């Protein structure tokens, strides 16, 4: 098993929701972001390419950060997730330099002045400190929402399919630009997307074998505009649809009653 | 994550309105504190949320929130406030309103709001209940023109793109016209559906002077000169008619005025349109063919088109384009949705009629017969106040920053400072609050119970209170009801709960209460219950047809004709443009637009939410690298943007995705952190310092906010760079200690 993510450049609209979801999920200090967006805006001979590369830790199969870590605070789990044990981290920052993708952040004091410097901490911040301590003087990064994966799997949920075992950024993306799943499973959604659209890793030449892949294509050209059954019925909303009595009468229909289906 | 101690933890289901809103939300509360927020998977937005909604968490315990009713104790803009009780505040307001009614008549009371936030029906009901039609909304530069002009076709006025597939088809050709629905800060709840529908789309056409990820991947990306969209629509119709591509059945059986339309568009050849719009002529032809041949299709219009002084005809032309191609009421085209059992939410104010007396006193009604029919024309009002004839005695303002979003900031500023008695309701201090006499603290959507009205109107949802508001802040519903009860008690309610019961009363066969609705969360009509081709049923008209004077889809509008307007669409250049004012163009050689939106701000809001501010610290202006080089400005510079009205500073981003010769500035910006005396940095970067209120749309009274002329140059002192925003002249961010005690009171966390 190797957890991985596929990021669809043809869908990412630079909305920053993934960045926000990650901040909420991990009570991130004011100046820390684990998920970032890189803007790519070029005009190549009259062909304009505006893209956004959402980046986060690549959870590389051969992670230079782990190799650089002198205390074994950085390590790679069986399932491919690269982790930092903040109790072992001595803040030497070797890994910050070793990561060719600059995906690690050293949490210095000035990055954590509170959401409203000079004012009392908010309830969310105070709770966050207890639920999710961020230790000043250690290094941090995206952990693929390992808490959600572990807690979800313990309940029998499937990462990438069931929300409560899936990373927060993936769940919140309105464009559905992010897909999560097992790269080792050829039938997983991520593997299928990589095959179908020729997925690529960022700077594969660095040789770290990232678990985050990117896909891209032109929009349009769909062979059919026919709606599938689930779209026609209203995307399986649990709540029954109802029609205004007046409108129903004019349309010559009987009113549909609004009882919850569940 | 591990639970370390016993806690009281619950998940509350509610609805976001950080933009116009509508996304289903799950908020986790632990010991009275929100510790997590995410989308609700059992909602039409399927568990997604945008950055604004998620960052709502930073509204809670935000030290800048207003906690108590306050009255101004210094001059306007001095920032000195004294706490008062709710009773004192409400009694004072009611007293002033009653006095105005007695001495000058009810129409001297103006009720204003910001963009639609689920309180539109309260604003309008309050106004009508006290007898005034002088409602000020930004509708005339956002959404009203399209509703009004679609209304000439469908009666009801809400034509929405059918992104849902309920009728079995998705749009085959989609036009995104001056709009980025995917990020649109205003309608993020519709992003999910739009983006999903792209999977089924054959042609995506993006009409926008500025590129997005979708534009650079679209089938066709057209970059018209801002302000010429009407010509483009006329040109597309020219091609469709010349090449005989129109929908014979629909045009033949269901439309009126085809021959006149054919005559009207005859001149708009692709070459002429190419010259006017500064685009290749092939773009006009290709777009026309795709839209007419690969049907069904839809056109998503952006409000940038409504921020132009020819917006009425632009929207008319686009509507005609829909009719010509039969893209009305067909699955996958533009549809007017059937309402759910709870009915039309606007009935809450429509049930109080706008009397002839009220209508006759609407400011601007003689001139702007479409725009000033239910609300006043704000620009005419500003001119009237400044000319010494003060038509407004009391101004009750809820949310919204007229000082920021209206054209010609200097004149608006002058006028608003002259208003006798101004009340402003808000979450934070901002320009309008500083100009007020009384400020009332509003609750955030996580802190209130209310009915949320979904933009496309096929659904309403519940806002369920998650946590208590800070200090004495109250929900909009409560504030409106309390003011209403004091001035026009016969039209208001014993309690907020009664008022909410009343609004959902038609549900469950006429038995629904607010409590049940709040539990149910939604009342909507979707899936197979939605009905298409309504004009073929009795829906609008007994025996079928459209609810228009001719019973047909009117290319030539009888109604417009009766009001004295051209019944067919007409192209007019913007008030200031390379063609309409060539002399001015020599001095101001660039076309300025402020049409682009940021996904993490909603118009003037959220620059005081740290997570959101982090995405764009200073307002950004985009210019093509070649144009920038021509004018000697570089990426990262702070530049001056100047028009005949004044100049502003923004930070330059050299962006290859913007049309050459066009300057795209960030709109609606002020600096909440700047002190009161600068009206929170109102004049530093706001593009409306540059816009003119002299040239307005004849139907709607909308000014040219997204198409005018400007010049740019580097801010002279290069050392200034970012510090330019923190000079002595414009103030610095005050620390707690530097603040006056009264101001501090409102900002200190509980
Ligand atoms: S949430 Fe999705 S669309 Fe938005 S920036 Fe992140 S990846 Fe892109
Ligand atoms: S992206 Fe950087 S931090 Fe993440 S595993 Fe690879 S080398 Fe390590
Ligand atoms: S996977 Fe989780 S930790 Fe990583 S960026 Fe997404 S939300 Fe943040």
């Amino acid at each position: 098993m190797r957890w991985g993510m596929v990021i669809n450049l043809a869908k990412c609209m630079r909305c920053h929701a993934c960045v926000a979801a990650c901040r909420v999920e991990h009570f991130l200090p004011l100046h820390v972001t684990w998920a970032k967006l890189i803007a790519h805006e070029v005009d190549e001979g009259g062909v304009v390419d505006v893209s956004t590369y959402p980046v986060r830790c690549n959870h590389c199969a051969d992670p230079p950060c782990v190799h650089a870590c002198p205390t074994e605070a950085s390590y790679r789990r069986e399932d491919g997730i690269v982790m930092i044990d903040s109790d072992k981290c001595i803040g030497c920052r070797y890994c910050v330099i070793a990561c060719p993708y600059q995906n690690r952040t050293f949490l210095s004091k000035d990055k954590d002045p509170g959401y409203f410097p000079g004012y009392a901490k908010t309830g969310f911040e105070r709770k966050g400190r207890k639920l999710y301590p961020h230790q000043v003087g250690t290094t941090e990064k995206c952990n693929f929402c390992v808490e959600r994966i572990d807690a979800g799997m313990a309940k029998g949920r499937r990462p990438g399919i069931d929300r409560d075992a899936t990373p927060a950024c993936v769940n919140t993306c309105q464009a559905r630009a992010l897909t999560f799943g097992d790269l080792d499973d050829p039938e997983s959604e991520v593997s299928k997307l990589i095959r179908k659209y020729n997925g690529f890793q960022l700077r594969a030449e660095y040789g770290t074998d990232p678990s985050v892949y990117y896909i891209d294509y032109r929009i349009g050209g769909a062979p059919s505009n026919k709606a599938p059954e689930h779209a026609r019925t209203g995307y399986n909303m649990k709540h029954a649809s109802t029609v205004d009595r007046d409108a129903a009468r004019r349309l010559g229909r009987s009113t549909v009653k609004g009882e919850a289906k569940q | 994550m591990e639970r370390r101690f016993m806690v009281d933890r619950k998940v509350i289901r509610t609805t976001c309105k950080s933009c116009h809103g509508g996304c289903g939300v799950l908020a986790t509360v632990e010991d009275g504190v929100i510790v997590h927020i995410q989308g609700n998977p059992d909602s039409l937005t399927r568990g997604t949320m945008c950055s604004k909604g998620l960052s709502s968490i930073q509204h809670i315990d935000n030290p800048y929130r207003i906690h108590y009713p306050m009255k101004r104790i210094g001059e306007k803009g001095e920032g000195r406030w004294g706490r008062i009780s709710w009773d004192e505040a409400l009694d004072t307001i009611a007293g002033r309103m009653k006095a105005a009614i007695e001495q000058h008549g009810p129409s001297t009371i103006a009720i204003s709001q910001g963009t639609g936030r689920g309180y539109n029906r309260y604003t309008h009901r309050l106004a009508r209940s006290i007898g005034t039609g002088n409602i000020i909304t930004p509708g005339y530069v956002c959404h009203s023109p399209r509703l009004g002009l679609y209304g000439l076709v469908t009666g009801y006025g809400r034509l929405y793109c059918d992104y849902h597939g309920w009728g079995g088809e998705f749009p085959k050709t989609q036009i995104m016209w001056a709009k980025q629905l995917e990020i649109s800060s205003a309608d993020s709840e519709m992003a999910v559906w739009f983006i999903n529908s792209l999977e089924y789309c054959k042609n995506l056409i993006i009409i926008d002077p500025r590129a997005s990820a979708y534009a650079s991947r679209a089938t066709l990306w057209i970059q018209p000169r801002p302000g010429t969209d009407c010509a483009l629509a006329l040109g597309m119709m020219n091609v469709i008619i010349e090449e005989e591509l129109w929908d014979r059945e629909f045009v033949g059986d269901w439309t009126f005025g085809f021959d006149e339309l054919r005559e009207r568009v005859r001149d708009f050849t692709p070459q002429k349109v190419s010259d006017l719009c500064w685009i290749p002529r092939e773009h006009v032809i290709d777009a026309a063919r795709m839209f007419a041949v690969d049907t069904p299709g839809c056109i998503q219009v952006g409000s940038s088109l409504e921020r132009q002084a020819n917006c009425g005809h632009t929207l008319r032309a686009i509507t005609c384009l829909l009719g010509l191609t039969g893209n009305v009421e067909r699955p996958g085209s533009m549809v007017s949705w059937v309402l759910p059992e709870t009915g039309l939410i606007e009935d809450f104010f429509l049930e109080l009629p706008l009397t002839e007396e009220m209508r006759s006193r609407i400011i601007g009604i003689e001139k702007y017969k479409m725009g000033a029919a239910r609300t006043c024309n704000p620009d005419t009002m500003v001119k009237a106040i400044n000319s010494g004839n003060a038509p407004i005695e009391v101004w009750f303002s809820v949310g919204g920053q007229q000082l920021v979003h209206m054209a010609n900031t200097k004149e608006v500023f002058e006028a608003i400072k002259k208003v006798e008695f101004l009340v402003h309701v808000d979450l934070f201090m901002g320009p309008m609050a500083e100009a007020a006499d009384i400020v009332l603290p509003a609750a955030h959507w996580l802190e209130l119970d209310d009915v949320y009205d979904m933009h496309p109107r096929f659904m309403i949802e519940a806002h369920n209170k998650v946590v208590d508001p800070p200090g004495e802040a109250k929900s909009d519903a409560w504030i409106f009801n309390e003011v209403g009860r004091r001035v026009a008690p016969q039209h208001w309610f014993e309690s907020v709960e009664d008022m909410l019961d009343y609004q959902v009363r038609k549900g469950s066969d006429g038995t629904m209460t607010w409590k049940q609705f709040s539990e149910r969360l939604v009342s909507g009509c979707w899936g197979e219950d939605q009905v298409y081709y309504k004009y073929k049923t009795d829906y609008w008209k007994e025996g079928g047809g459209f609810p228009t004077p001719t019973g047909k889809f009117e290319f030539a509008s009888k109604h417009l004709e009766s009001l004295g307007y051209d019944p067919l669409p007409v192209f007019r250049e913007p008030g200031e443009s390379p063609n309409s004012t060539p002399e001015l163009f020599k001095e101001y050689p660039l076309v300025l637009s402020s049409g682009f939106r940021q996904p993490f701000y909603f118009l003037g809001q959220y620059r005081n939410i740290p997570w959101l501010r982090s995405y764009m610290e200073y307002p950004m202006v985009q210019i093509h690298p070649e144009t920038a080089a021509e004018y000697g400005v570089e990426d990262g510079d702070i530049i001056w943007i100047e028009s005949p009205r004044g100049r502003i500073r923004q930070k330059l981003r050299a962006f290859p995705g913007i049309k050459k010769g066009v300057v795209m500035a960030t709109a609606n910006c002020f600096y909440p952190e700047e002190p009161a005396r600068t009206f929170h940095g109102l004049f530093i970067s706001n593009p409306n310092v540059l816009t003119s209120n002299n040239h307005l749309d004849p139907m709607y009274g909308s000014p040219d906010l997204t198409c005018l002329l400007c010049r740019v140059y580097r801010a002279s002192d290069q050392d200034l760079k970012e510090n330019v925003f923190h000079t002595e002249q414009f103030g610095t961010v005050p620390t707690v200690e530097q603040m006056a005690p009264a101001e501090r009171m409102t900002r200190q966390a509980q």
Side-chain angles (χ1 to χ4, degrees), chain B residues 254-270:
Chain B
W254 300 102
T255 66
F256 170 81
F258 176 69
D259 293 333
E260 289 99 309
L261 181 70
R262 164 181 246 162
E263 204 40 54
R264 180 56 56 93
V265 303
R266 196 181 294 282
D267 287 355
F268 282 83
T269 60

Side-chain angles (χ1 to χ4, degrees), chain A residues 11 25 51 123 218 221 250 257, chain B residues 36 61 199 214 218 509 539:
Chain A
K11 287 194 166 177
E25 192 68 28
S51 302
R218 291 196 70 80
R250 283 179 282 140
K257 290 252 176 64
Chain B
H36 194 255
D61 294 346
E199 309 258 335
Y214 293 7
D509 272 327
Y539 186 76

Side-chain angles (χ1 to χ4, degrees), chain B residues 185-495:
Chain B
S185 60
D187 305 295
S188 303
E189 86 281 2
M190 287 159 77
V192 188
W193 312 330
F194 159 59
I195 297 166
N196 178 58
S197 75
L198 289 178
E199 309 258 335
Y200 306 88
C201 172
K202 182 169 174 199
N203 310 304
L204 174 66
I205 304 173
I206 297 204
I207 304 177
D208 195 327
R210 182 180 164 273
S212 60
Y214 293 7
S216 62
R217 288 166 178 77
T219 322
L220 179 60
W221 170 38
I222 306 180
Q223 290 184 284
R225 167 166 66 92
T228 61
D229 306 80
C230 183
L232 177 54
L234 295 171
M236 285 171 68
M237 289 194 276
N238 170 293
V239 175
I240 291 170
I241 292 177
E242 289 297 317
E243 300 191 3
E244 311 210 345
L245 300 174
W246 72 87
D247 184 324
R248 306 247 157 202
E249 191 203 320
F250 184 77
V251 172
D253 295 350
W254 300 102
T255 66
F256 170 81
F258 176 69
D259 293 333
E260 289 99 309
L261 181 70
R262 164 181 246 162
E263 204 40 54
R264 180 56 56 93
V265 303
R266 196 181 294 282
D267 287 355
F268 282 83
T269 60
Q271 191 52 51
K272 172 169 169 168
V273 172
S274 155
D275 295 341
L276 282 173
C277 302
W278 301 357
I279 54 175
R281 60 188 286 282
E282 294 71 33
H283 282 187
V284 188
I285 299 169
D286 292 348
R289 287 182 184 157
M290 282 179 206
F291 195 63
V293 174
D294 287 326
T295 60
C298 60
I299 302 180
Q300 175 68 52
V301 167
S303 61
S304 287
L305 298 183
E306 290 157 332
R307 294 181 169 88
Q308 298 179 353
N310 192 38
C311 71
H313 281 302
T314 304
L315 270 299
R316 274 288 293 152
I318 290 174
T319 314
C320 290
L321 183 53
L322 293 170
L324 199 58
T325 48
N327 279 312
V328 180
E329 285 291 317
R330 180 182 163 182
S333 73
M334 305 289 289
V335 181
S336 175
W337 299 118
V338 174
L339 301 170
E341 57 169 356
T342 33
L344 181 63
I345 194 77
E346 277 92 349
D347 280 346
F348 187 66
F349 74 86
L350 291 172
E351 67 182 19
L352 302 186
L354 189 67
T355 61
E356 261 321 303
E357 161 70 12
M358 289 184 217
R359 193 191 296 274
S360 67
R361 290 176 195 278
I362 291 179
I363 299 168
I365 191 160
E366 337 61 52
K367 229 172 153 185
Y368 308 108
K369 297 191 185 106
M370 294 291 289
R374 299 208 299 205
T375 58
C376 85
N377 179 255
D379 301 86
T380 307
M381 190 197 71
V382 160
K383 297 266 185 206
I385 297 177
N386 285 343
S387 69
N389 130 34
I392 297 301
E393 294 290 323
V394 174
W395 181 333
F396 186 77
S397 151
V398 185
Q401 297 290 352
Q402 280 72 24
L403 274 167
V404 181
H405 79 69
M406 285 181 61
N408 197 338
T409 313
K410 273 181 210 147
E411 283 190 19
V412 183
F413 185 62
E414 214 183 294
I416 288 183
K417 287 221 292 193
K418 283 189 190 138
V419 172
E420 259 317 287
F421 183 70
L422 179 82
V423 181
H424 186 71
V425 184
D426 217 326
L427 289 95
F428 299 100
M429 293 304 284
M432 283 299 279
E434 300 299 351
D437 298 273
I438 288 185
V439 171
L440 303 177
H444 182 262
W445 60 262
L446 284 162
E447 304 160 349
L448 52 78
D449 286 329
D450 208 341
V451 177
Y452 161 76
D453 52 342
M454 188 70 174
H455 222 307
R457 294 297 185 273
F458 59 73
M459 165 152 113
I460 58 169
E461 293 168 275
H463 294 297
N464 289 324
K465 181 168 162 182
V466 177
V467 287
D468 286 327
E472 291 178 356
K474 296 286 188 185
S475 70
D476 305 319
W478 186 89
I479 296 171
F480 278 106
N481 192 41
E482 288 303 317
V483 174
R485 266 154 54 99
R486 281 169 171 77
V487 187
Q490 68 279 22
H491 296 303
W492 293 86
F493 300 79
E494 274 300 304
S495 67

Side-chain angles (χ1 to χ4, degrees), chain A residues 5 18 21-22 26 34-35 56 142-145 167-169:
Chain A
M5 194 182 286
C18 50
C22 183
H26 302 100
W34 291 356
R56 64 259 296 109
C142 153
N143 61 11
F144 261 2
C145 286
C169 54

